[in-house]
Amino acid sequence: MSSIPCAVVGVGQTHHKSRRLDVSFGGLVREAVFRALDDAEMTLEDIDAVVLGKAPDLFEGVMKPELYLSDALGAVGKPMFRVHTAGSVGGTTAIVAASHVQAGKHRTVLAVAFEKQSEGNAQFALGSGKGASLGAGGAFAPFIRSYIHRSGAPEHIGWKVAVKDRLNALKNPYAHLQIADISIEKVRASPMMWDPIRFLESCPSSDGACAVVLTDEAGGLAAADAGRPPAWLLGASSRSEPPSFPGRDPVRPAAAMVCAADVYAQAGITNPREQIDMAELYVPFSWHEAIWLEAFGIAEEGDGWRMIDDGSTELGGSFPVNCSGGVLSSNPIGASGLLRFAEAANQVRGAAGEHQVDGAKVALAMAYGANSQYFSTWAVGAEQRPFG
Amino acid sequence: MARLVESTITFPYRRSLGPVVGAFMTALTEMRILGTRSGDAVLVPPMEWDPRTGAELGNDLVEVGPSGTVESWTWVPNPSAQHPLAQPFAFAFIRLDGATTPLLHAVDAGSPNAMSVGARVAPRWRGERVGAITDIVCFVLGESAEIEGTDAGPASEPVTRMDYEASITYRNPVPVSADRVIEASQEHRLLGQKCPVCERVYAGGRGYCPIDAVELGEGHEVDLSDVGTITNFSIVTPVQYPGQTETEPFVRAFVLLDGSDVILSYQPVIELPATDVRVGQRVVAVWASPAEDSDEGGAMGGTYGRLIGWMPNGEPDIDDPDLVNRIF
Ligand SMILES: [Zn+2]
């Protein structure tokens, strides 16, 4: 790819909770932004452009929040962009921000994403303001039923993912859900919400924000010289497909597979399972870990659940997934994708704290949205070109 | 011209105000107006951050006004329901005494002739104050603040949240092809459209093929069977929210129509309890009786016109292991 190298040099996030009643909208995003700027040892003056992502405006009932937040984000007199690709938006926000750096248009770009779910109601918003909203669980349950049927996976796979991600969340001080006594028994005993998805196999509703500072090669090298290792962007891609058409397969969406192939080609990844050290996958319902392991070519078709069953995707396993606790532990919807991308960056920077994967050099992050039709993915590395 | 269907979405949002706007709103209930210091400036309403640079302000709040001077104004001769006053009024930038920035608010001046740049104004407070900018009904000419109605006193607790009842009414055009589906539903016919390029058949009067970006119209119509097979389904446990219509788990089914490759997604079922729904079940369309209301807006809630759902037709289940994968 003949573009300017891009590095992540700052990452910040809020503490995620059901209700962050202590902060305004602006205060919430600024909490993440200043953590990212501090991490990058920068100020708002160092930022050349701002990219903001969030889920539909109906979630908080503020139309065009990017206008309302431009001064809160220090964007006065600077280019300011709003990105919107439903649940994948946080990932797409990072990719749009990166593309400004890669294109040489702006040197240092701030990517910000947030959701303040406590101000409205996600089920209301997802149901377009009408009764009998399916919610995300109702929309995705048939896809999961199809996956279970075709893979022959046993039902405890979903419970295992639910437990693993909540155990990981106990190592992440920012994570919303902190369920110290999480267990297979507890997940299995939780109410059935959208058959076959149980309550504890589902993501929470969270208030939260995430911010990432991206800069060019000189900025990345300067951070490295100063003892603050950057995460180098190895490949980034967004792909989409229509929400419905005859024969569409939401378990292996074409857009997901094309998106993954594009990122791997950019990064020089030919064997994802071996060359990638960990992944932050967008898993709002437990079974999506298996589904995305397969659609993203990390496991063979039909085998994703085996990586879960044998413990490969646990922290300490051969291919850890969602060491941060993932979407299953914190879900500020608009920010959830950017959190995946930020957590992947922190892993290769060696900055993931207690949930750090030992020696992680290459990490993958993905987010998906709407009717499993928008996909955003990036691969980041501790080195600029680990695979030539 | 396409038929227009009106729909209204309302929701009671609740904002959290944060430390600065929260203090401003709390003070309003005490009939006090706060600004914040930013260097030599005093910003009103107060902000958490410097609007020019984004720098954090010190939450250094200072009382201003309540009287002030009109810096600029415009007359609103025909107020709408959303305006702060029912009678004609002025919107004005008012620099409150002690402030360096103007506050936008209404002035009940009676006539545009009474308004001028430099005019002195004072607030008319609402008697019952809740911690909202509307606790100031408007400003009035002169130096004397007023109270409208009986003074109910300040809020008993600090104001930290604000209710915001959002409402928006849409007038959506119903596409001609969707209208034809609704029309056919009067005769209990299900219409599909077949793409001339890829030969995929679409239900619901979609009007285009998303794969080939081809427009589909009357010439592409085909009749679809009103008998089919459930391929997959969702049993939704309803979460309660304002406007929720469901209290018990409900089913949305995917129905593969006989004799075609068309799946109708997220269809309501009738006389089929959530505990009994299964892949392979045979179902038949249920049409609204002439006396019943039907959805004239098109494909809302997954059904079409007078098609209100699907019920078991008593035929034996179809045993096909690939059925469950047919979601679209
Ligand atoms: Zn076609």
Side-chain angles (χ1 to χ4, degrees), chain A residues 172-189:
Chain A
N172 177 1
Y174 294 109
H176 174 173
L177 295 185
Q178 302 281 342
I179 311 174
D181 63 341
I182 190 72
S183 66
I184 293 282
E185 270 315 307
K186 202 167 164 137
V187 175
R188 183 163 59 183

Side-chain angles (χ1 to χ4, degrees), chain B residues 195 197-200 202 209 211-212:
Chain B
C195 172
V197 180
C198 67
E199 303 202 322
R200 287 179 175 89
Y202 298 94
C209 170
I211 306 300
D212 300 300

Side-chain angles (χ1 to χ4, degrees), chain A residues 20-27 30 34 44 57-62 71-72 74 76 116 118-121 123-124 128-134 137-139 141-143 145-146 149-150 192-195 242-248 250 371, chain B residues 9-19 47-56 160-161 164 200-202 206 210-211 232-237 239-246 250 252 254 261 266 279 300 321-322 324-328:
Chain A
R20 285 295 308 269
L21 301 186
D22 56 320
V23 288
S24 63
F25 249 66
R30 285 165 63 84
F34 286 113
L44 283 173
D57 294 352
L58 213 51
F59 278 84
E60 292 90 357
V62 175
D71 55 8
V76 174
K116 203 155 185 320
S118 65
E119 306 218 340
N121 183 293
Q123 304 292 328
F124 162 83
S128 301
K130 298 185 174 61
S133 170
L134 293 174
F143 308 172
R145 182 177 292 110
S146 171
H149 171 83
R150 68 175 91 169
M192 187 66 85
M193 293 297 291
W194 306 275
D195 185 271
S244 71
F245 55 87
R248 175 166 187 253
N371 206 12
Chain B
I9 295 175
T10 60
F11 195 81
Y13 292 98
R14 292 205 80 188
R15 307 247 165 275
S16 41
L17 299 172
M47 297 188 65
E48 290 178 49
W49 50 85
D50 184 318
R52 291 158 303 172
T53 65
E56 200 76 12
T160 59
R161 301 182 85 180
Y164 170 60
R200 287 179 175 89
V201 176
Y202 298 94
R206 186 171 193 143
I211 306 300
N232 206 320
F233 56 88
S234 207
I235 301 172
V236 179
T237 305
V239 172
Q240 293 311 308
Y241 56 82
Q244 172 65 286
T245 52
E246 308 301 315
F250 62 93
R252 289 290 180 267
F254 297 76
D261 203 29
Y266 306 111
V279 174
M300 314 220 298
D322 279 333
V324 68
N325 303 322
R326 289 303 318 275
I327 297 168
F328 295 108

Side-chain angles (χ1 to χ4, degrees), chain B:
Chain B
M1 211 181 103
R3 187 166 57 88
L4 294 172
V5 170
E6 193 173 282
S7 61
T8 298
I9 295 175
T10 60
F11 195 81
Y13 292 98
R14 292 205 80 188
R15 307 247 165 275
S16 41
L17 299 172
V20 173
V21 176
F24 174 73
M25 295 303 192
T26 303
L28 287 180
T29 74
E30 299 158 354
M31 294 193 285
R32 298 188 306 127
I33 304 172
L34 298 183
T36 193
R37 288 187 206 281
S38 170
D40 293 336
V42 175
L43 312 178
V44 180
M47 297 188 65
E48 290 178 49
W49 50 85
D50 184 318
R52 291 158 303 172
T53 65
E56 200 76 12
L57 294 175
N59 200 2
D60 185 4
L61 299 175
V62 53
E63 190 167 341
V64 297
S67 301
T69 305
V70 171
E71 290 202 330
S72 180
W73 60 278
T74 187
W75 193 251
V76 181
N78 299 303
S80 76
Q82 289 172 315
H83 278 120
L85 295 174
Q87 65 274 29
F89 70 97
F91 267 131
F93 276 127
I94 300 161
R95 191 148 68 85
L96 297 171
D97 297 345
T100 58
T101 61
L103 173 76
L104 177 67
H105 217 299
V107 180
D108 187 11
S111 153
N113 299 328
M115 286 299 294
S116 61
V117 170
R120 294 287 293 166
V121 292
R124 175 186 291 156
W125 296 99
R126 204 171 293 282
E128 303 236 355
R129 295 176 301 278
V130 297
I133 192 63
T134 48
D135 284 356
I136 301 173
V137 177
C138 60
F139 282 76
V140 294
L141 293 167
E143 298 287 343
S144 308
E146 302 175 357
I147 301 179
E148 184 180 270
T150 309
D151 182 7
S156 54
E157 303 273 326
V159 178
T160 59
R161 301 182 85 180
M162 184 185 83
D163 291 330
Y164 170 60
E165 180 81 34
S167 177
I168 187 163
T169 297
Y170 294 90
R171 278 163 64 85
N172 284 324
V174 180
V176 172
S177 56
D179 244 354
R180 289 188 56 80
V181 171
I182 293 166
E183 204 178 290
S185 77
Q186 304 292 341
E187 305 158 20
H188 299 183
R189 280 171 59 222
L190 256 183
L191 272 192
Q193 293 174 319
K194 188 172 192 171
C195 172
V197 180
C198 67
E199 303 202 322
R200 287 179 175 89
V201 176
Y202 298 94
R206 186 171 193 143
Y208 63 94
C209 170
I211 306 300
D212 300 300
V214 169
E215 206 172 333
L216 304 177
E218 208 175 324
H220 304 105
E221 284 171 359
V222 289
D223 270 304
L224 302 172
S225 169
D226 69 350
V227 175
T229 307
I230 292 179
T231 65
N232 206 320
F233 56 88
S234 207
I235 301 172
V236 179
T237 305
V239 172
Q240 293 311 308
Y241 56 82
Q244 172 65 286
T245 52
E246 308 301 315
T247 55
E248 297 299 319
F250 62 93
V251 173
R252 289 290 180 267
F254 297 76
V255 179
L256 172 62
L257 302 179
D258 285 5
S260 72
D261 203 29
V262 173
I263 302 270
L264 299 186
S265 298
Y266 306 111
Q267 297 293 293
V269 295
I270 289 157
E271 289 178 30
L272 178 52
T275 45
D276 291 352
V277 65
R278 53 191 187 270
V279 174
Q281 207 158 17
R282 298 282 290 156
V283 288
V284 60
V286 182
W287 305 94
S289 67
E292 278 179 283
D293 283 343
S294 63
D295 179 4
E296 299 300 321
M300 314 220 298
T303 54
Y304 311 107
R306 301 198 74 77
L307 172 66
I308 55 172
W310 299 79
M311 61 184 281
N313 70 354
E315 291 177 21
D317 288 5
I318 301 236
D319 184 19
D320 174 352
D322 279 333
L323 266 184
V324 68
N325 303 322
R326 289 303 318 275
I327 297 168
F328 295 108

Side-chain angles (χ1 to χ4, degrees), chain A residues 61-381:
Chain A
V62 175
M63 301 304 134
K64 303 180 191 167
E66 65 278 14
L67 301 185
Y68 169 63
L69 290 172
S70 57
D71 55 8
L73 295 171
V76 174
K78 296 174 184 176
M80 168 100 184
F81 305 92
R82 160 82 183 274
V83 176
H84 185 13
T85 56
S88 74
V89 69
T92 318
T93 301
I95 290 173
V96 170
S99 67
H100 286 288
V101 176
Q102 292 174 303
K105 183 70 182 167
H106 301 295
R107 182 175 177 206
T108 303
V109 181
L110 177 66
V112 188
F114 81 100
E115 208 71 64
K116 203 155 185 320
Q117 290 211 52
S118 65
E119 306 218 340
N121 183 293
Q123 304 292 328
F124 162 83
L126 292 171
S128 301
K130 298 185 174 61
S133 170
L134 293 174
F140 297 148
F143 308 172
I144 290 171
R145 182 177 292 110
S146 171
Y147 173 78
I148 293 171
H149 171 83
R150 68 175 91 169
S151 68
E155 63 179 344
H156 69 259
I157 296 301
W159 308 338
K160 280 198 79 162
V161 173
V163 171
K164 168 184 72 79
D165 285 7
R166 272 52 173 270
L167 288 175
N168 289 345
L170 295 173
K171 298 178 189 297
N172 177 1
Y174 294 109
H176 174 173
L177 295 185
Q178 302 281 342
I179 311 174
D181 63 341
I182 190 72
S183 66
I184 293 282
E185 270 315 307
K186 202 167 164 137
V187 175
R188 183 163 59 183
S190 67
M192 187 66 85
M193 293 297 291
W194 306 275
D195 185 271
I197 308 169
R198 290 184 181 275
F199 180 74
L200 281 174
E201 292 179 275
S202 313
C203 56
S205 288
S206 314
D207 285 355
C210 180
V212 172
V213 179
L214 301 109
T215 192
D216 63 3
E217 184 169 28
L221 293 173
D225 284 347
R228 291 178 285 107
W232 294 101
L233 184 57
L234 306 180
S237 185
S238 291
R239 289 290 186 271
S240 57
E241 66 184 55
S244 71
F245 55 87
R248 175 166 187 253
D249 185 356
V251 175
R252 293 175 72 76
M257 298 170 72
V258 173
C259 189
D262 187 20
V263 167
Y264 297 156
Q266 290 174 38
I269 293 169
T270 51
N271 184 341
R273 176 79 163 83
E274 296 304 321
Q275 291 170 288
I276 297 169
D277 298 314
M278 69 84 61
E280 285 280 336
L281 306 177
Y282 200 99
V283 177
F285 302 98
S286 58
W287 282 94
H288 275 97
E289 180 169 313
I291 289 173
W292 299 140
L293 282 169
E294 294 178 27
F296 280 74
I298 296 158
E300 293 293 323
E301 184 174 3
D303 282 349
W305 65 270
R306 294 181 203 278
M307 286 179 65
I308 295 160
D309 207 24
D310 69 15
S312 297
T313 62
E314 291 168 11
L315 191 51
S318 61
F319 193 97
V321 174
N322 293 332
C323 304
S324 63
V327 182
L328 278 177
S329 302
S330 310
N331 188 30
I333 300 176
S336 293
L338 189 55
L339 284 166
R340 308 280 68 70
F341 283 51
E343 289 283 356
N346 268 349
Q347 287 285 347
V348 300
R349 298 169 79 207
E354 243 195 291
H355 59 278
Q356 177 71 44
V357 173
D358 283 342
K361 297 289 180 211
V362 175
L364 184 76
M366 69 77 75
Y368 82 99
N371 206 12
S372 282
Q373 71 195 94
Y374 295 118
F375 294 87
S376 294
T377 308
W378 81 9
V380 285

